[in-house]
Amino acid sequence: MKKILSAFLLLYFALFFSQEKKPMFWQDIQNFKKADQENTPPKDAILLIGSSSFTKWTDVARYFPDKTIINRGFGGSRMTDLNDFADDLLDPYQPKQIIIYCGDNDFADNHDLKAKVVVKRFKTFYKKIRERFPNIEVDYISIKYSPSREILWPQMKETNKKIAAFMEKEPHAEFIDITKAMEDSNGNVRKDLFLEDMLHITPEGYEIWAKVMKPYMK
């Protein structure tokens, strides 16, 4: 009886700790895999990868009716997460273009984080993309100015500047700046484009994003 009990406890703790070791966003990735199993991902689509600004854009296809979109945004993700799950985010697809929105959560997790660190994380992910897709279009949407994260804007602004400079030198790559489009005539961010949390944007905000993005989309 003691042997049976010991075996049961060992099995219980093994299962418990195996679940504990699952990385953050593991379930989101499993959900993507399930979706891909249920519906084979289309070839030559535009692949969106990033954080909650993409995750919450659930009706993104409506904004681009003439485009085939695969949305693989997962809320709360950081550049580190894109790198950790790069195989899962890239290998199942054969896109003609990848558009990335990510970076602000890196700073939200660590207010002391330097812009150069996030830029390095982005460059690492960009390299992983190019190893698989050397010739497709790869674009990065600027980190938006969120009123709830105003204190972090200096680092975010510097990150945008550095990534823009990097993308300018890369072939088949663009930096898509949505910052100006979200400002009023006085150069202040339009708070009416944000939900109550002053972080995520409204349908009108997405309309503005779509207008800025369309000229870049293949």
Side-chain angles (χ1 to χ4, degrees), residues 6 29 57 71 73 75 119 168 178 192:
S6 297
I29 300 303
W57 204 350
N71 190 344
V119 174
E168 186 177 0
I178 47 85
D192 62 300

Side-chain angles (χ1 to χ4, degrees), residues 102-122:
C102 194
D104 46 359
N105 289 320
D106 296 62
F107 293 109
D109 281 355
N110 180 0
H111 287 203
D112 296 323
L113 197 63
K114 302 296 183 183
K116 64 181 181 181
V117 176
V118 179
V119 174
K120 184 177 180 180
R121 293 173 180 177
F122 168 73

Side-chain angles (χ1 to χ4, degrees), residues 146-198:
S146 299
S148 64
R149 293 178 174 175
E150 182 178 9
I151 192 173
L152 300 171
W153 180 240
Q155 294 121 289
M156 294 177 178
K157 187 176 180 180
E158 185 180 352
T159 300
N160 283 338
K161 183 178 179 180
K162 289 180 181 298
I163 292 179
F166 170 77
M167 297 295 270
E168 186 177 0
K169 297 176 182 178
E170 290 294 309
H172 312 298
E174 296 286 350
F175 178 83
I176 303 176
D177 189 1
I178 47 85
T179 307
K180 293 292 182 183
M182 298 182 72
E183 294 176 348
D184 61 22
S185 58
N186 295 318
N188 299 313
V189 64
R190 288 179 52 189
K191 293 184 178 181
D192 62 300
L193 297 178
F194 290 83
L195 300 175
E196 289 184 5
D197 61 7
M198 287 291 126

Side-chain angles (χ1 to χ4, degrees), residues 5-23:
L5 182 60
S6 297
F8 175 79
L9 288 172
L10 286 172
L11 178 61
Y12 172 81
F13 284 114
L15 290 171
F16 177 80
F17 284 111
S18 66
Q19 291 176 350
E20 285 293 303
K21 289 180 181 178
K22 288 177 182 176

Side-chain angles (χ1 to χ4, degrees), residues 5-208:
L5 182 60
S6 297
F8 175 79
L9 288 172
L10 286 172
L11 178 61
Y12 172 81
F13 284 114
L15 290 171
F16 177 80
F17 284 111
S18 66
Q19 291 176 350
E20 285 293 303
K21 289 180 181 178
K22 288 177 182 176
M24 189 181 296
F25 306 117
W26 180 88
Q27 188 57 55
D28 297 85
I29 300 303
Q30 303 314 304
N31 293 341
F32 293 155
K33 290 180 178 180
K34 183 179 179 182
D36 292 339
Q37 288 175 351
E38 294 174 350
N39 296 287
T40 302
K43 295 181 180 180
D44 297 321
I46 297 174
L47 177 61
L48 306 184
I49 300 177
S51 54
S52 58
S53 290
F54 278 168
T55 312
K56 291 181 176 295
W57 204 350
T58 55
D59 60 343
V60 62
R62 181 176 68 80
Y63 293 76
F64 307 102
D66 60 333
K67 309 294 182 185
T68 302
I69 307 289
I70 299 174
N71 190 344
R72 290 297 176 261
F74 50 114
S77 59
R78 304 148 297 186
M79 284 291 184
T80 49
D81 301 304
L82 301 196
N83 281 306
D84 289 343
F85 290 111
D87 291 346
D88 298 303
L89 294 170
L90 299 173
D91 289 351
Y93 312 108
Q94 299 178 49
K96 64 179 179 181
Q97 181 176 9
I98 293 176
I99 301 178
I100 303 161
Y101 180 82
C102 194
D104 46 359
N105 289 320
D106 296 62
F107 293 109
D109 281 355
N110 180 0
H111 287 203
D112 296 323
L113 197 63
K114 302 296 183 183
K116 64 181 181 181
V117 176
V118 179
V119 174
K120 184 177 180 180
R121 293 173 180 177
F122 168 73
K123 289 180 179 179
T124 299
F125 186 60
Y126 181 85
K127 182 179 178 181
K128 292 182 179 184
I129 293 174
R130 285 303 183 208
E131 288 171 352
R132 294 165 172 83
F133 311 111
N135 299 314
I136 70 168
E137 180 76 14
V138 179
D139 302 328
Y140 179 83
I141 296 177
S142 62
I143 300 175
K144 69 183 186 301
Y145 184 121
S146 299
S148 64
R149 293 178 174 175
E150 182 178 9
I151 192 173
L152 300 171
W153 180 240
Q155 294 121 289
M156 294 177 178
K157 187 176 180 180
E158 185 180 352
T159 300
N160 283 338
K161 183 178 179 180
K162 289 180 181 298
I163 292 179
F166 170 77
M167 297 295 270
E168 186 177 0
K169 297 176 182 178
E170 290 294 309
H172 312 298
E174 296 286 350
F175 178 83
I176 303 176
D177 189 1
I178 47 85
T179 307
K180 293 292 182 183
M182 298 182 72
E183 294 176 348
D184 61 22
S185 58
N186 295 318
N188 299 313
V189 64
R190 288 179 52 189
K191 293 184 178 181
D192 62 300
L193 297 178
F194 290 83
L195 300 175
E196 289 184 5
D197 61 7
M198 287 291 126
L199 175 62
H200 300 105
I201 60 178
T202 65
E204 184 182 357
Y206 283 122
E207 288 284 0
I208 290 174

